[in-house]
Amino acid sequence: MLSIDYYAQQTGLGRWCGGYKLAITVGTLALCIATDSAAFSLAVLLCMAVLALGPGRAPVKQWAKLMAAPLVFVTISCAVVALSFPTTRRGLISLPFFSRYIAVTASSLHTAGLLFCRAMGAVCCLYALTLTTPSHQVIGVLRRLHVPALLTELMSLTYHFIFVLLDTQSRMHTAAVSRMGQNGFYIHLRSTAAIFANLFLAAMAKSSSVYSAMESRLYTGSIQFLEERPPLRPVQVAGAVAYFVVLLVLRRIFLLGGY
């Protein structure tokens, strides 16, 4: 979480309009989900990876680490989708399992492969957004889209508290390690439970402090944000139009080719 926020703040696209980046990534995500083509999903993954690693300047190693967790989860989920349990032997692979068989058919394997590509393409779109767009830009775009102020304020405060709690948890963990609180499985469980219990109390205390600070600064029920709005240049609009035209052409080609 800390590394994602760091690279979002240091991105090479920081001076680009937040709404522009949001439109590109969300539009690409919608096309990826709506298209039943594994090749098109892989093309989306490649485009979003180039966006995050190229202009976004995210390190390749860090990007690969971020993609590793959803890759494992999606792989396991798709492996389950590829399995079926018929009562007779059939499919490409069929293994006896009590009174049934564990089978993998060509249809289920195709479905699992398509699901895998679409899921990874969608995940790459979201990482491209989070690695190139700081949270305040996203919240600013939502506010300009007339999303209820209560939701945007809660998003801002929640995002702030994530890092407050991470820092508090890190300090508690360091204190537990320095007192030999991680030696042994049961001691580790007891220390972890104590950290979570104290973290809850710390969160309550810090939220009360934040509210008191807001009231001392004349909080009247709405939070006013000071934000910078980078201009949307004509060359950026032309680039976005060309990008989506190419995506739609690729989508048409892959669908007609059955890829």
Side-chain angles (χ1 to χ4, degrees):
M1 189 67 191
L2 291 172
S3 60
I4 290 176
D5 185 73
Y6 172 78
Y7 292 117
Q9 297 293 338
Q10 301 296 323
T11 178
L13 304 179
R15 303 295 299 176
W16 286 27
C17 176
Y20 177 79
K21 292 181 284 187
L22 194 65
I24 288 179
T25 52
V26 173
T28 306
L29 173 64
L31 283 175
C32 180
I33 294 175
T35 304
D36 291 332
S37 169
F40 180 76
S41 299
L42 294 176
V44 166
L45 189 153
L46 179 61
C47 291
M48 291 294 100
V50 169
L51 178 66
L53 300 176
R57 293 205 301 257
V60 177
K61 184 177 180 180
Q62 185 65 33
W63 181 85
K65 286 183 179 180
L66 292 174
M67 291 293 293
L71 177 62
V72 173
F73 176 77
V74 172
T75 301
I76 295 174
S77 301
C78 292
V80 174
V81 171
L83 298 178
S84 59
F85 300 91
T87 56
T88 59
R89 186 183 295 273
R90 64 180 184 181
L92 302 175
I93 301 175
S94 185
L95 301 175
F97 183 72
F98 295 103
S99 60
R100 292 180 174 269
Y101 292 89
I102 300 177
V104 177
T105 64
S107 176
S108 65
L109 195 61
H110 176 268
T111 301
L114 177 61
L115 178 61
F116 176 85
C117 293
R118 291 170 72 179
M120 292 308 299
V123 167
C124 202
C125 289
L126 295 178
Y127 272 132
L129 176 63
T130 55
L131 289 172
T132 60
T133 310
S135 63
H136 64 84
Q137 287 188 1
V138 176
I139 295 173
V141 173
L142 295 178
R143 191 162 51 250
R144 290 193 292 275
L145 292 176
H146 302 290
V147 173
L150 177 62
L151 293 180
T152 57
E153 291 174 4
L154 284 176
M155 289 174 63
S156 180
L157 292 174
T158 302
Y159 192 77
H160 168 75
F161 261 92
I162 288 175
F163 298 98
V164 172
L165 294 181
L166 282 174
D167 179 67
T168 304
Q169 186 272 339
S170 177
R171 293 173 184 271
M172 291 180 178
H173 177 75
T174 302
V177 171
S178 66
R179 291 170 175 80
M180 310 296 286
Q182 304 294 322
N183 290 352
F185 179 72
Y186 293 105
I187 297 177
H188 177 74
L189 287 181
R190 187 173 61 183
S191 299
T192 302
I195 288 174
F196 281 120
N198 291 330
L199 193 61
F200 176 76
L201 297 176
M204 297 296 293
K206 288 184 180 295
S207 64
S208 178
S209 300
V210 168
Y211 184 72
S212 298
M214 292 169 60
E215 283 192 319
S216 67
R217 290 165 175 80
L218 305 179
Y219 173 69
T220 58
S222 63
I223 303 176
Q224 302 299 321
F225 295 93
L226 180 64
E227 60 176 313
E228 182 182 2
R229 298 185 183 180
L232 184 60
R233 301 180 179 88
V235 65
Q236 294 176 337
V237 177
V241 172
Y243 167 74
F244 279 110
V245 168
V246 171
L247 273 188
L248 291 174
V249 170
L250 288 176
R251 180 177 185 268
R252 182 68 174 172
I253 292 173
F254 289 143
L255 287 177
L256 290 177
Y259 298 110

